[in-house]
């Protein structure tokens, strides 16, 4: 279906972008990879050149373009090179993105500018540069890796800068779909139902988060299905990957699991199915657990081995309300204690009921946080690393 079509995709040196590029290449598509990774990164595999090799091996034609999409001149240059090589552009995929799940006080303006520059401004600039050629295409699509516009405060309060930047990409879909409708250019968004096993997720949550994710293949398959649809009729849609696959007749979604059998972590911004938090506290109501929290903590103390402490290097506190506070010192002392006055790097506030559900694996800590059942103060990146500790705890109950 996409044989001979030319695709200009940003941020495709790894992860979801790479998976989409290679998937389209299997049809014989031409793919211009616009990204800024030309040299291998010690922690992040993939460059524009390694992806180009995979595209060629899959049966497509590749054009690696070294581009920082915040630079409009570099974007225009890459678009012109693509047109010179392949004769035009049929599909524009805005996949490049930057993330920082931090609150207002913890987000440096440099990081704010990075997210707004890549996510919102970069998407606008790339689409604008491709537009003259999309208008000439008989099968023109713009596809943004962007979430549905869910205006619940839950999706803003803990990382307002990131939400603003991603929703900027979503607003491009909302507005450009109508603006470009007369040109029969389909403008849509795709977003995952679950976390996707990419380098970004690995950095955010480590093995525990990766294991509760799906592979990028589900996003690639869903994006491909969307790009094969008639752009004159299929436009202005905010699509979820698994819903598209079900529409395509795929019933076995387990094939996309990064670690089959592990409960999946829901992704951000699709929270309609989450429990509703208490309107005053923002934390779901629940009763205290039976049997005493102290007895449960006794089972966890053997986990604080020197190896675990060295890897974690965090002091975190659990606040269950009513003066029930527990401190896990995984930095210096290797202790779990009640009402310890050691300053915590991260503090979790929740009911004992929610904590037990997390430890038992009945709910992922990420889902509890995003749904408002758990509050986090401190470094959110460090907080997400503790999912692995919760997983270990499940074996001790």
């Amino acid at each position: 279906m996409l044989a001979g079509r030319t695709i200009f995709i940003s941020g495709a040196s790894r992860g979801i972008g790479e998976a989409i590029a290679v998937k389209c290449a299997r049809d014989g598509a031409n793919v211009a990879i616009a990204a800024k990774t030309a040299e291998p990164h010690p922690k992040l595999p993939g460059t524009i050149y390694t992806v180009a090799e995979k595209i060629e091996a899959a049966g497509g034609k590749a054009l690696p373009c070294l581009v920082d999409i915040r630079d409009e001149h570099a974007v225009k240059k890459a678009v012109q090179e693509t047109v010179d090589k392949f004769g035009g552009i049929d599909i524009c995929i805005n996949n490049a993105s930057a993330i920082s799940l931090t609150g207002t006080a913890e987000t440096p303006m440099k990081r704010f500018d990075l997210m707004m520059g890549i996510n919102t401004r970069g998407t606008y600039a790339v689409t604008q540069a491709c537009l003259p050629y999309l208008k000439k295409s008989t099968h023109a699509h713009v596809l943004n890796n962007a979430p549905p516009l869910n205006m619940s405060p839950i999706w803003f309060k803990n990382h307002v800068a990131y939400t603003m930047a991603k929703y900027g990409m979503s607003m491009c879909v909302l507005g450009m779909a109508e603006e470009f409708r007369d040109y029969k250019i389909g403008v849509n968004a795709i977003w995952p139902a679950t976390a996707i096993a990419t380098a970004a997720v690995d950095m955010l949550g480590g093995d525990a988060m990766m294991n509760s994710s799906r592979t990028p293949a589900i996003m690639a398959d869903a994006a491909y299905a969307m790009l094969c649809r008639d752009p004159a009729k299929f436009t202005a849609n905010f699509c979820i990957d698994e819903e598209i696959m079900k529409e395509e007749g795929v019933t076995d979604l387990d094939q996309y699991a990064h670690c089959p059998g592990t409960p999946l972590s829901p992704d951000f911004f699709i929270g309609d199915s989450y429990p509703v938090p208490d309107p005053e506290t923002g934390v779901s109501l629940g009763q205290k657990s039976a049997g005493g929290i102290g007895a449960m903590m006794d089972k966890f103390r053997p986990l604080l081995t020197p190896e675990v402490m060295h890897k974690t290097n965090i002091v975190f506190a659990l606040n269950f309300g009513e003066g029930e506070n527990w401190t896990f010192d995984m930095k210096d002392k290797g202790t779990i204690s009640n009402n310890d006055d050691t300053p915590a790097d991260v503090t979790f506030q929740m009911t004992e009921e929610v904590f037990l559900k997390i430890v038992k694996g009945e709910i992922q800590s990420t889902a509890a946080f995003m749904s408002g059942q758990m509050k986090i103060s401190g470094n959110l990146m460090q907080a997400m690393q503790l999912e692995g500790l919760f997983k270990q705890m499940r074996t001790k109950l």
Side-chain angles (χ1 to χ4, degrees):
M1 178 66 188
L2 300 182
R5 299 292 181 184
T6 297
I7 299 168
F8 189 94
I9 178 169
S10 68
S13 57
R14 62 181 65 91
I16 292 171
E18 175 187 320
I20 295 174
V22 174
K23 175 72 177 181
C24 294
R26 294 193 184 109
D27 267 14
N30 309 315
V31 185
I33 312 137
K36 58 181 182 179
T37 305
E39 299 293 332
H41 189 281
K43 295 183 179 180
L44 300 174
T47 69
I48 56 176
Y49 304 111
T50 59
V51 175
E53 291 174 358
K54 293 179 181 179
I55 289 169
E56 298 278 353
K61 295 180 180 178
L63 176 64
C65 300
L66 184 59
V67 182
D68 182 339
I69 62 170
R70 293 172 293 176
D71 182 345
E72 64 177 301
H73 301 293
V75 170
K76 291 177 180 179
K77 181 175 180 290
V79 166
Q80 188 59 56
E81 289 174 355
T82 302
V83 173
D84 291 344
K85 183 175 179 66
F86 298 123
I89 294 175
D90 302 286
I91 296 169
C92 168
I93 302 177
N94 293 298
N95 176 73
S97 187
I99 182 172
S100 181
L101 299 177
T102 47
T104 300
E106 294 78 29
T107 306
M109 289 310 300
K110 183 177 181 180
R111 174 60 60 171
F112 179 93
D113 291 342
L114 177 70
M115 289 190 286
M116 294 298 290
I118 293 177
N119 300 3
T120 300
R121 187 180 187 277
T123 292
Y124 195 96
V126 169
T127 307
Q128 183 186 73
C130 290
L131 183 59
Y133 309 102
L134 294 172
K135 289 179 178 179
K136 299 176 183 178
S137 173
T138 59
H139 188 82
H141 278 277
V142 176
L143 180 62
N144 292 357
N145 187 350
L149 288 164
N150 186 335
M151 302 308 290
S152 169
I154 287 174
W155 309 112
F156 289 84
K157 66 175 185 177
N158 294 308
H159 39 72
V160 63
Y162 175 64
T163 299
M164 289 168 62
K166 288 304 292 187
Y167 277 15
M169 298 176 71
S170 304
M171 287 189 287
C172 284
V173 172
L174 191 68
M176 293 176 181
E178 293 305 311
E179 182 184 356
F180 303 162
R181 191 179 292 274
D182 289 344
Y183 299 109
K184 298 182 179 180
I185 300 172
V187 185
N188 299 287
I190 185 171
W191 195 248
T194 70
I196 300 296
T198 63
V201 165
D202 189 25
M203 292 176 67
L204 286 173
D207 291 341
M209 193 73 174
M210 291 286 281
N211 290 341
S212 62
S213 302
R214 285 177 173 150
T215 67
I218 188 170
M219 286 287 282
D221 289 352
Y224 173 81
M226 294 170 66
L227 296 173
C228 288
R229 297 182 182 183
D230 183 354
K233 300 177 181 178
F234 186 72
T235 191
N237 298 291
F238 289 89
C239 300
I240 305 300
D241 56 356
E242 68 176 30
E243 293 176 2
I244 291 293
M245 298 317 299
K246 290 175 182 177
E247 291 175 8
E248 293 294 309
V250 176
T251 57
D252 178 20
L253 297 180
D254 290 343
Q255 64 179 298
Y256 297 114
H258 180 74
C259 183
T262 301
L264 295 168
S265 293
D267 208 283
F268 300 167
F269 306 121
I270 52 173
D272 292 340
S273 61
Y274 285 141
V276 178
D278 177 78
E280 294 185 3
T281 66
V283 179
S284 294
L285 301 176
Q287 300 297 319
K288 297 195 77 172
S289 61
I293 197 75
M296 183 175 67
M297 293 300 181
D298 287 339
K299 299 179 181 181
F300 300 153
R301 286 189 172 92
L303 293 173
L304 298 192
T305 64
E307 181 182 4
V308 170
M309 286 184 60
H310 177 73
K311 182 177 181 180
T312 308
N313 197 34
I314 297 171
V315 176
F316 72 95
L318 298 175
N319 182 348
F320 298 119
E322 300 181 11
E324 190 79 36
N325 299 297
W326 289 83
T327 300
F328 285 60
D329 189 330
M330 306 180 69
K331 184 180 291 184
D332 299 314
K333 301 177 184 177
T335 59
I336 299 176
S337 53
N338 192 10
N339 297 317
D340 190 331
D341 59 1
T342 301
D345 299 304
V346 184
T347 299
F348 298 85
Q349 180 184 350
M350 71 193 94
T351 64
E352 290 181 16
E353 180 187 41
V354 170
F355 178 66
L356 277 174
K357 287 183 177 180
I358 292 173
V359 174
K360 291 178 179 179
E362 295 175 3
I363 182 174
Q364 294 286 325
S365 56
T366 306
F369 167 67
M370 294 305 296
S371 66
Q373 295 183 85
M374 175 175 69
K375 287 185 176 181
I376 299 176
S377 47
N379 190 313
L380 186 57
M381 300 299 186
Q382 290 181 328
M384 296 184 73
Q385 295 175 17
L386 297 174
E387 179 63 37
L389 181 66
F390 291 144
K391 184 177 180 180
Q392 292 182 55
M393 288 177 175
R394 289 165 200 155
T395 66
K396 302 296 181 181
L397 288 181

